[in-house]
Amino acid sequence: MADKKNENEKQMEEVNDLRISRTEKAEYNMDFSKIRDCVVYDAMGNKIRFGDIYKNQKTLIFFVRHFLDFIAKDYVEDLGAIPVEYLQEANVRLVVIGPAPYKFISDFKKETGYQYTLYCDPERELYQKLGLKYKVESVSLNASRHIKQNVLMGMIRNTWKIMRVQEWEGDIKQQGGTFILGPDEQMHYHHVDNNPVDHAPINEVLQAAGVQPVSFPRDPRVQEL
């Protein structure tokens, strides 16, 4: 009986450890001295100092994958669906940063319907200094609440655009991440993506920033009338 009790206790400890591993984020040390003077680019090719983005206001900063990735497109499409009044009420800014050349910013915004701020880090300097992962990994699309396309249609659209543009719009191995920074050098939230579908649930990020939730096609929420 004692052996059986010990075995049950061990199993419960393993379950608890699993729960903790799924809910707790790995420790992350933000070194602002390494990133504040890094440069990103706007659609006109103007250089923007990264530290100026979050200097005066709490800012949601989403680092996404390359612009040909249909998973990233679906995710940014949902970011674009966040009502501007929700952000204004919470005094929060929204910024997306991609690893593509800045000349692709305008087309990517048109394709996704995203109208907030979008910058590019084509040399991936920030991606590297923030410790965002660089690898390729097969994934299941069911792991994300923000992917609306199936694999076949997504790959067909990707292939068609590659043939049309004949140029990559970012490094396919580069993964993304999400941070809530500012004002000044404060970090309120972080999420480092392990793979293409491991992006932070948008409503989780909004909640961390004090922004009311949004109802998405695969993450419906009850809206107050």
Side-chain angles (χ1 to χ4, degrees), residues 139-147 149 151 197 218:
V139 296
S140 168
L141 300 187
N142 293 328
S144 172
R145 298 175 181 176
H146 299 287
I147 301 172
Q149 304 180 62
V151 175
V197 301
R218 293 196 60 191

Side-chain angles (χ1 to χ4, degrees), residues 2-12:
D3 290 342
K4 187 173 182 180
K5 182 178 180 181
N6 290 336
E7 183 179 346
N8 290 337
E9 289 177 350
K10 183 178 180 181
Q11 289 176 346
M12 286 301 298

